[in-house]
Amino acid sequence: MNQQRPPQVHLETFGCQMNEYDSELVRSLLTRDGFAFTDDRERADVILMNTCAIRENAHNKVYTHLSDLRALKRQRPLVVGVLGCMAQNLKEELTEKEPLVDVLAGPDSYRHLPGLITKAMESQEQGELRRQMAVDLSEYETYDDVAPDRRDGVNAWIAVMRGCDNFCSFCVVPYTRGRERSREPEGIVAEARLAAAKGFKQVTLLGQNVNSYRHGDWDFARLLVAVADVPGIERVRFTSPHPKDFPAALLEAVVSHPRICKHIHLPVQSGNDRILNLMSRTYSRSAYLGLVDQIRSSCPDIVLTTDVIAGFCSESDEEFSDTYRLLEEVRYHAAFIFKYSERKNTIAARKWPDDIPETVKSERVTALADLQRRISHERNRAYLGTTLSVLVEGDAKRSSLQSKGKSDGNITVVWSKKSVPADPGQMIQLSVYDCSASTLYAAPPA
Ligand code: SAH
Ligand code: SF4
Ligand code: F3S
């Protein structure tokens, strides 16, 4: 290892917010041990990919990236590491098929990472290739003592729990992230305080099913309020609550606390009872719709969003129509619509064939996406002429002459910088004059 300069690490993150958060833990753990980080892949001694295994296309992205690295690795000494859910789930496949991978570390093994990388660099110097692996899942690891090294300046992710015990039949997460465990509330609140002290205005609490958060007398509603009470934090969000057990106290907290955002992401997956049952979601269509009614009657201006899977094993046209009609009925502000993707080792993969043809899956996804686009556009039109509080995030995607931010309900708002100059982290009032299905266009209030 070059003693003059710390090894330069380039870290890329795929997948969900939990992975974003874990990458911040990884940065912190490696920095502690004398590694440095670079955004420039060309200058890196170590390239790490924090990967996702949720659907086939998540895998494909990582394999494409790995093959890009092959050429780089021929040019200079380079350690390549695969972290995260794919490392955990596909250890055999990755080790057998990908001689390129020097280090594998699953989500509960990041404390070993500095040692693994150092060993990989040493063995490379000695001209031997020995893969370094740590893929044991833990019942206890919550990284409570590791302060995440955050980059984004507005939102701080905070994991309140790790793992998942729900075993929805389609889902790989219980296998990649292991058993569910809740962090100590004191550590979570302290992390929120630290984020506030560093200037973060928003905290998003993360868990695969936040409603099963338990620690002594603490449940999720109590934790959410405690975080929202941290001085300096202006907005608190959370994701995801499972529809099977949405407690009244949580709804009460969302309704009454001024700093808890009026947005609930409530993944439905399917609108048909037989499919919901096959998915092991443990709620029925009518129970779900009852929950939506209860939420809307306590909080009429709540923004609801969801996740849907189309083309699950044996889903008939009629059963699919139930999902279509549920979207028409609930009229979510937004929905993430996924084609069912069979995942190795899951209950569905073991029990039933993935028997809906690709073309049918695609048609179903397109039908739902078209419907949802129409509904989202209509929902957004309801904001025309209203004034919203917007948390400024930075430059808009399309043009650096425009800024973007989020409404309390998590809808993207775009405005011209000239009309309202504002810095990331500022909370400003804007009036909506136009919209698309995904964006509200705004100007200074008259
Ligand atoms: N824990 C979260 C979900 C995390 S995964 C929850 O239960 O709310 C995010 C979404 O990916 C899921 O809600 C589901 O819609 C989708 N998903 C998970 N596994 C999938 C699979 N095998 N095929 C297609 N979509 C899947
Ligand atoms: Fe997967 Fe279900 Fe757990 Fe969500 S609740 S992570 S969908 S097993
Ligand atoms: Fe997240 Fe993907 Fe793992 S969605 S939990 S990174 S499988």
Side-chain angles (χ1 to χ4, degrees):
M1 199 188 296
N2 184 340
Q3 298 300 329
Q4 312 305 313
R5 135 190 192 276
Q8 303 287 308
V9 182
H10 178 71
L11 169 61
E12 295 177 40
T13 307
F14 303 82
C16 65
Q17 297 100 330
M18 196 64 93
N19 257 16
E20 294 288 340
Y21 179 80
D22 281 1
S23 284
E24 292 168 354
L25 295 178
V26 165
R27 267 206 297 267
S28 174
L29 285 162
L30 286 174
T31 310
R32 262 193 207 174
D33 260 58
F35 290 83
F37 280 81
T38 173
D39 290 334
D40 183 2
R41 191 159 97 155
E42 305 297 321
R43 292 189 54 228
D45 307 303
V46 180
I47 296 184
L48 301 178
M49 277 179 275
N50 193 2
T51 61
C52 171
I54 202 86
R55 286 172 290 273
E56 191 59 32
N57 51 7
H59 278 197
N60 293 344
K61 247 193 230 167
V62 168
Y63 281 120
T64 314
H65 249 72
L66 278 173
S67 52
D68 289 352
L69 295 184
R70 210 159 277 134
L72 271 187
K73 203 165 168 167
R74 262 186 240 118
Q75 294 160 11
R76 62 167 202 267
L78 177 67
V79 165
V80 172
V82 175
L83 321 180
C85 290
M86 232 172 121
Q88 191 67 46
N89 202 40
L90 290 187
K91 36 192 183 284
E92 288 87 12
E93 187 176 325
L94 279 169
T95 44
E96 281 158 22
K97 277 207 208 146
E98 273 302 339
L100 188 70
V101 178
D102 306 295
V103 172
L104 267 182
D108 286 343
S109 306
Y110 297 147
R111 286 182 201 273
H112 300 299
L113 203 49
L116 297 174
I117 297 175
T118 306
K119 274 199 205 134
M121 293 177 94
E122 284 166 1
S123 71
Q124 227 170 46
E125 265 176 21
Q126 289 153 9
E128 46 177 287
L129 285 179
R130 234 183 313 119
R131 184 166 289 118
Q132 307 296 326
M133 261 176 49
V135 285
D136 288 337
L137 288 171
S138 155
E139 285 177 39
Y140 309 104
E141 180 62 273
T142 52
Y143 300 105
D144 255 315
D145 56 318
V146 184
D149 177 356
R150 302 199 155 91
R151 291 286 158 93
D152 177 359
V154 178
N155 175 72
W157 309 109
I158 303 184
V160 303
M161 57 206 299
R162 300 182 68 86
C164 183
D165 283 350
N166 283 324
F167 288 91
C168 300
S169 64
F170 52 80
C171 184
V172 77
V173 173
Y175 308 90
T176 65
R177 289 187 166 267
R179 297 291 55 76
E180 188 176 280
R181 57 224 109 112
S182 297
R183 288 180 57 189
E184 286 182 11
E186 293 78 12
I188 296 166
V189 174
E191 210 175 301
R193 278 206 201 96
L194 192 66
K198 289 194 169 155
F200 289 86
K201 297 294 179 216
Q202 175 175 288
V203 162
T204 305
L205 301 181
L206 301 175
Q208 297 303 342
N209 172 13
V210 291
N211 291 342
S212 52
Y213 178 87
R214 284 290 170 288
H215 203 282
D217 302 337
W218 288 70
D219 63 4
F220 185 66
R222 181 171 172 199
L223 179 69
L224 181 65
V225 170
V227 169
D229 284 340
V230 168
I233 296 296
E234 296 188 32
R235 278 183 177 173
V236 181
R237 302 185 182 281
F238 61 93
T239 193
S240 302
H242 194 296
K244 70 174 174 176
D245 54 1
F246 201 100
L250 179 59
L251 182 54
E252 173 56 25
V254 173
V255 171
S256 61
H257 201 296
R259 289 187 294 283
I260 300 175
C261 291
K262 312 283 173 272
H263 167 217
I264 299 178
H265 184 65
L266 200 61
V268 67
Q269 315 299 1
S270 164
N272 174 268
D273 282 342
R274 191 186 71 91
I275 297 295
L276 283 171
N277 189 33
L278 288 186
M279 288 175 163
S280 317
R281 290 293 287 182
T282 67
Y283 52 84
S284 63
R285 175 193 179 94
S286 71
Y288 184 93
L289 290 174
L291 175 60
V292 168
D293 279 348
Q294 191 195 344
I295 294 173
R296 286 230 170 102
S297 57
S298 316
C299 191
D301 51 359
I302 193 90
V303 168
L304 287 181
T305 57
T306 200
D307 293 341
V308 176
I309 298 177
F312 186 64
C313 312
S314 76
E315 183 188 64
S316 69
D317 286 337
E318 192 44 45
E319 288 166 335
F320 165 72
S321 306
D322 284 341
T323 302
Y324 190 93
R325 284 191 289 265
L326 183 129
L327 258 57
E328 282 180 315
E329 190 173 334
V330 176
R331 297 175 53 77
Y332 297 98
H333 280 74
F336 299 93
I337 295 157
F338 306 110
K339 218 187 260 188
Y340 172 59
S341 168
E342 186 177 84
R343 304 287 72 205
K344 245 187 223 155
N345 302 329
T346 55
I347 298 160
R350 282 182 269 142
K351 277 175 115 168
W352 309 298
D354 177 12
D355 55 358
I356 306 301
E358 264 316 287
T359 48
V360 177
K361 285 185 186 174
S362 296
E363 281 164 21
R364 291 180 184 173
V365 166
T366 307
L368 294 177
D370 288 348
L371 169 67
Q372 185 55 48
R373 203 172 308 112
R374 259 195 332 271
I375 296 172
S376 296
H377 203 171
E378 283 162 20
R379 283 267 181 211
N380 281 351
R381 267 191 220 114
Y383 292 103
L384 295 179
T386 64
T387 297
L388 299 174
S389 293
V390 176
L391 181 59
V392 181
E393 288 177 350
D395 282 358
K397 257 196 215 139
R398 294 237 178 102
S399 156
S400 59
L401 298 175
Q402 293 179 317
S403 298
K404 73 167 163 66
K406 288 272 169 31
S407 73
D408 179 284
N410 209 31
I411 303 172
T412 301
V413 183
V414 165
W415 64 96
S416 115
K417 270 188 195 167
K418 225 162 97 191
S419 70
V420 191
D423 294 324
Q426 245 179 290
M427 191 79 89
I428 59 174
Q429 299 292 310
L430 289 173
S431 163
V432 181
Y433 66 85
D434 196 7
C435 68
S436 67
S438 60
T439 309
L440 302 174
Y441 297 95

